Coordinates of all heavy atoms in Angstrom, one line a residue:
R1 N 0.8 -1.2 0.0 CA 0.0 0.0 0.0 C 0.8 1.3 0.0 O 0.5 2.2 -0.7 CB -1.0 0.0 1.2 CG -2.0 -1.1 1.2 CD -2.9 -1.0 2.3 NE -3.8 0.1 2.2 CZ -5.0 0.1 1.6 NH1 -5.3 -0.9 0.8 NH2 -5.7 1.2 1.6
A2 N 1.9 1.3 0.8 CA 2.7 2.5 0.9 C 3.4 2.8 -0.4 O 3.4 4.0 -0.8 CB 3.7 2.4 2.0
L3 N 3.9 1.8 -1.1 CA 4.6 2.0 -2.4 C 3.6 2.4 -3.4 O 3.8 3.2 -4.3 CB 5.4 0.8 -2.7 CG 6.2 0.9 -4.0 CD1 7.2 2.1 -3.9 CD2 7.1 -0.4 -4.2
A4 N 2.4 1.8 -3.4 CA 1.3 2.1 -4.3 C 1.0 3.6 -4.2 O 0.8 4.3 -5.2 CB 0.1 1.2 -4.1
E5 N 0.8 4.0 -3.0 CA 0.4 5.4 -2.7 C 1.5 6.3 -3.2 O 1.3 7.4 -3.9 CB 0.2 5.7 -1.2 CG -1.0 5.1 -0.7 CD -1.1 5.2 0.8 OE1 -0.2 5.8 1.5 OE2 -2.1 4.7 1.4
D6 N 2.8 6.0 -3.0 CA 3.9 6.8 -3.5 C 3.9 6.9 -5.0 O 4.1 8.0 -5.5 CB 5.2 6.2 -3.0 CG 5.5 6.5 -1.5 OD1 4.8 7.3 -0.9 OD2 6.4 5.8 -1.0
L7 N 3.7 5.8 -5.6 CA 3.8 5.8 -7.1 C 2.6 6.5 -7.7 O 2.8 7.1 -8.8 CB 3.9 4.3 -7.6 CG 5.3 3.7 -7.3 CD1 5.3 2.3 -7.9 CD2 6.4 4.5 -7.8
V8 N 1.4 6.4 -7.1 CA 0.3 7.2 -7.6 C 0.6 8.7 -7.4 O 0.3 9.5 -8.3 CB -1.0 6.8 -6.9 CG1 -2.2 7.8 -7.2 CG2 -1.4 5.4 -7.3
Q9 N 1.2 9.1 -6.3 CA 1.5 10.5 -6.1 C 2.6 11.0 -7.1 O 2.4 12.1 -7.7 CB 2.1 10.7 -4.7 CG 1.0 10.7 -3.6 CD 1.6 10.8 -2.2 OE1 2.7 11.2 -2.1 NE2 0.7 10.6 -1.2
E10 N 3.5 10.1 -7.4 CA 4.5 10.4 -8.4 C 3.9 10.5 -9.8 O 4.3 11.4 -10.6 CB 5.6 9.4 -8.5 CG 6.5 9.5 -7.3 CD 7.7 8.4 -7.4 OE1 8.0 8.0 -8.5 OE2 8.2 8.1 -6.3
T11 N 2.9 9.7 -10.1 CA 2.2 9.7 -11.3 C 1.4 11.0 -11.5 O 1.5 11.7 -12.6 CB 1.2 8.6 -11.4 OG1 1.9 7.3 -11.4 CG2 0.3 8.6 -12.7
L12 N 0.7 11.4 -10.4 CA -0.1 12.7 -10.5 C 0.9 13.9 -10.6 O 0.6 14.8 -11.4 CB -1.0 12.8 -9.3 CG -2.1 11.8 -9.2 CD1 -2.8 11.8 -7.8 CD2 -3.1 12.0 -10.3
L13 N 2.0 13.9 -10.0 CA 3.0 14.9 -10.1 C 3.5 15.0 -11.5 O 3.7 16.1 -12.1 CB 4.1 14.8 -9.1 CG 5.2 15.8 -9.2 CD1 4.7 17.2 -8.9 CD2 6.3 15.5 -8.1
A14 N 3.9 13.8 -12.0 CA 4.4 13.8 -13.4 C 3.4 14.3 -14.4 O 3.7 15.0 -15.4 CB 4.9 12.4 -13.8
A15 N 2.1 14.0 -14.2 CA 1.1 14.4 -15.1 C 0.9 15.9 -15.0 O 0.8 16.6 -16.0 CB -0.3 13.7 -14.7
W16 N 1.0 16.4 -13.8 CA 0.9 17.9 -13.6 C 2.0 18.6 -14.3 O 1.8 19.5 -15.0 CB 0.9 18.2 -12.1 CG 1.1 19.7 -11.8 CD1 2.2 20.3 -11.4 CD2 0.0 20.7 -11.8 NE1 1.9 21.7 -11.2 CE2 0.6 21.9 -11.5 CE3 -1.3 20.6 -12.2 CZ2 -0.1 23.1 -11.5 CZ3 -2.0 21.8 -12.1 CH2 -1.4 23.0 -11.7
L17 N 3.2 18.1 -14.1 CA 4.4 18.7 -14.7 C 4.4 18.6 -16.2 O 4.9 19.4 -17.0 CB 5.7 18.1 -14.2 CG 5.9 18.4 -12.7 CD1 7.2 17.6 -12.2 CD2 6.1 19.9 -12.4
G18 N 3.8 17.5 -16.8 CA 3.8 17.3 -18.2 C 2.5 17.6 -18.9 O 2.3 17.3 -20.1
R19 N 1.6 18.3 -18.2 CA 0.3 18.5 -18.7 C 0.3 19.4 -20.0 O -0.6 19.2 -20.9 CB -0.7 19.1 -17.7 CG -0.3 20.5 -17.2 CD -1.1 21.0 -16.0 NE -0.8 22.3 -15.6 CZ 0.3 22.7 -15.0 NH1 1.2 21.8 -14.7 NH2 0.5 24.0 -14.7
E20 N 1.3 20.3 -20.1 CA 1.4 21.1 -21.3 C 1.8 20.3 -22.5 O 1.5 20.7 -23.7 CB 2.4 22.2 -21.1 CG 2.0 23.2 -20.0 CD 0.7 23.9 -20.2 OE1 0.4 24.3 -21.3 OE2 0.0 24.1 -19.2
N21 N 2.4 19.2 -22.3 CA 2.8 18.3 -23.4 C 1.9 17.2 -23.8 O 2.1 16.4 -24.7 CB 4.2 17.6 -23.1 CG 5.3 18.7 -22.9 OD1 5.4 19.7 -23.6 ND2 6.2 18.4 -21.9
Y22 N 0.8 17.1 -23.0 CA -0.2 16.1 -23.3 C -0.9 16.5 -24.6 O -1.6 17.5 -24.7 CB -1.3 16.1 -22.1 CG -2.5 15.2 -22.4 CD1 -2.4 13.9 -22.7 CD2 -3.8 15.8 -22.3 CE1 -3.5 13.1 -23.0 CE2 -4.9 15.0 -22.6 CZ -4.8 13.7 -22.9 OH -5.9 12.9 -23.1
A23 N -0.8 15.6 -25.6 CA -1.3 15.9 -26.9 C -2.8 15.7 -27.1 O -3.4 16.2 -28.0 CB -0.5 15.1 -28.0
G24 N -3.4 14.9 -26.2 CA -4.7 14.7 -26.3 C -5.1 13.6 -27.3 O -6.3 13.4 -27.7
T25 N -4.1 12.9 -27.9 CA -4.4 11.8 -28.8 C -5.0 10.6 -28.1 O -5.6 9.8 -28.8 CB -3.1 11.4 -29.6 OG1 -2.1 11.1 -28.7 CG2 -2.7 12.6 -30.5
A26 N -4.7 10.4 -26.9 CA -5.3 9.3 -26.1 C -6.2 9.9 -25.0 O -6.1 11.1 -24.7 CB -4.2 8.5 -25.4
R27 N -7.1 9.1 -24.5 CA -7.9 9.6 -23.4 C -7.1 10.0 -22.2 O -6.0 9.3 -22.1 CB -9.0 8.6 -23.0 CG -10.0 8.3 -24.1 CD -11.2 7.5 -23.8 NE -11.0 6.6 -22.6 CZ -11.8 5.6 -22.3 NH1 -12.8 5.3 -23.1 NH2 -11.6 4.9 -21.2
E28 N -7.5 10.9 -21.5 CA -6.7 11.3 -20.3 C -6.5 10.2 -19.4 O -5.4 10.1 -18.8 CB -7.5 12.5 -19.6 CG -6.7 13.1 -18.5 CD -7.4 14.4 -18.0 OE1 -8.4 14.2 -17.3 OE2 -6.9 15.5 -18.2
R29 N -7.4 9.3 -19.2 CA -7.3 8.2 -18.3 C -6.2 7.2 -18.8 O -5.3 6.8 -18.1 CB -8.6 7.4 -18.2 CG -8.6 6.1 -17.4 CD -9.9 5.4 -17.4 NE -9.8 4.1 -16.9 CZ -10.1 3.8 -15.6 NH1 -10.6 4.7 -14.8 NH2 -10.0 2.6 -15.2
T30 N -6.1 7.0 -20.1 CA -5.1 6.2 -20.7 C -3.7 6.8 -20.5 O -2.8 6.2 -20.2 CB -5.4 6.0 -22.2 OG1 -6.7 5.4 -22.4 CG2 -4.4 5.1 -22.9

């Protein structure tokens, strides 16, 4: 659980930092 929480937080942070580069060719969930 602890590692899963950490990696989800890292995922959300990476998405936040890379949101300007999201091309929108895939669904946001994907």
Side-chain angles (χ1 to χ4, degrees):
R1 295 182 71 83
L3 187 54
E5 288 173 1
D6 287 348
L7 292 181
V8 169
Q9 287 178 11
E10 288 182 23
T11 297
L12 293 169
L13 177 60
W16 170 260
L17 295 173
R19 70 191 182 283
E20 298 299 323
N21 297 324
Y22 172 57
T25 56
R27 291 187 347 195
E28 189 172 70
R29 178 183 170 97
T30 304

